[in-house]
Amino acid sequence: NAGVTQTPKFQVLKTGQSMTLQCAQDMNHEYMSWYRQDPGMGLRLIHYSVGAGITDQGEVPNGYNVSRSTTEDFPLRLLSAAPSQTSVYFCASRSRGQQFFGPGTRLTVL
Amino acid sequence: QQQVKQSPQSLIVQKGGISIINCAYENTAFDYFPWYQQFPGKGPALLIAIRPDVSEKKEGRFTISFNKSAKQFSLHIMDSQPGDSATYFCAASRLKGVASGSRLTFGEGTQLTVNP
């Protein structure tokens, strides 16, 4: 199993650009989540999904969209990037309470 | 509102010493308390977790102590090694409920350095 995979590893955007962070898991987990990690703030939940076709907002959803068309994939879309979205983004999937995190995407918005 | 507060922000210990990281939570509905270990450039990985029906859980050199009445829990790393140098996060969630288990609330993190 590859576990949770994320692409790209690094990305630089200009303010106002849009992009999609990809996340995929091959463990057939129903639950998937997106977090952002900022220094001194731990990880904060952006959006999560309890299964294909079902998503909900977390703590910090503004500026981000998600969709879940398949069990495997859970992409995160930035519609109009802002410098405040500079962060490291982690995707996770969950099984029986244990969350498995991907390696992260480091995003810089200039 | 930070529902899980973690301290200290950074910790330096000598090899062989005991590392102690503390967390306090506010939401009494939380019923699952994991600790994650994160190395630079990697995602967090589950280290050890506890449910509130026990006061202590030990796995190797890692022990969680849980105080339900005080709403506090802590991670103890015995015989700390340089390889334990990493960032540690406590977290809390509700396992009951359809979506609750996906909603981990994290502490701010502790940067642990173990000197040789």
Side-chain angles (χ1 to χ4, degrees):
Chain A
N1 284 353
V4 180
T5 58
Q6 292 183 239
T7 56
K9 285 188 70 67
F10 302 95
Q11 183 70 49
V12 179
L13 292 178
K14 294 181 179 178
T15 297
Q17 286 185 313
S18 63
M19 79 158 296
T20 299
L21 280 63
Q22 301 292 342
C23 174
Q25 53 96 5
D26 60 359
M27 297 174 282
N28 202 34
H29 292 167
E30 291 294 325
Y31 303 125
M32 296 185 73
S33 311
W34 276 102
Y35 293 84
R36 61 177 288 172
Q37 183 176 20
D38 301 291
M41 302 187 74
L43 287 87
R44 293 180 292 168
L45 181 65
I46 304 171
H47 285 285
Y48 65 97
S49 169
V50 300
I54 307 170
T55 64
D56 204 350
Q57 297 180 352
E59 285 180 74
V60 289
N62 293 341
Y64 308 96
N65 275 0
V66 292
S67 59
R68 184 98 178 269
S69 56
T70 67
T71 299
E72 295 77 20
D73 300 299
F74 191 41
L76 178 72
R77 296 183 188 85
L78 282 71
L79 303 176
S80 178
S84 61
Q85 293 178 305
T86 293
S87 187
V88 182
Y89 292 84
F90 290 100
C91 178
S93 70
R94 180 177 84 84
S95 172
R96 288 194 287 270
Q98 180 176 349
Q99 297 247 11
F100 297 87
F101 285 86
T105 294
R106 183 174 293 274
L107 176 67
T108 301
V109 183
L110 303 176
Chain B
Q1 181 184 1
Q2 187 68 34
Q3 292 194 52
V4 178
K5 297 197 70 66
Q6 183 173 344
S7 63
Q9 269 191 320
S10 62
L11 180 62
I12 300 174
V13 300
Q14 293 300 119
K15 178 181 176 182
I18 302 173
S19 304
I20 301 175
I21 305 171
N22 300 300
C23 283
Y25 64 97
E26 298 173 6
N27 188 344
T28 56
F30 288 147
D31 59 5
Y32 176 68
F33 302 90
W35 284 89
Y36 284 83
Q37 180 187 55
Q38 184 181 30
F39 293 104
K42 304 292 186 183
L46 180 66
L47 187 63
I48 186 172
I50 196 168
R51 300 290 302 274
D53 51 345
V54 297
S55 60
E56 186 175 282
K57 183 174 181 180
K58 183 175 181 179
E59 290 184 3
R61 296 184 294 109
F62 301 92
T63 300
I64 300 179
S65 297
F66 185 81
N67 185 329
K68 188 174 182 178
S69 61
K71 294 188 287 185
Q72 294 176 347
F73 58 110
S74 59
L75 176 69
H76 296 236
I77 306 174
M78 312 300 288
D79 187 26
S80 299
Q81 299 297 312
D84 297 331
S85 297
T87 300
Y88 292 81
F89 293 96
C90 63
S93 75
R94 294 179 60 186
L95 286 188
K96 296 176 183 176
V98 175
S100 301
S102 286
R103 301 188 63 130
L104 277 172
T105 299
F106 282 85
E108 299 93 332
T110 296
Q111 177 70 53
L112 172 66
T113 301
V114 182
N115 288 327

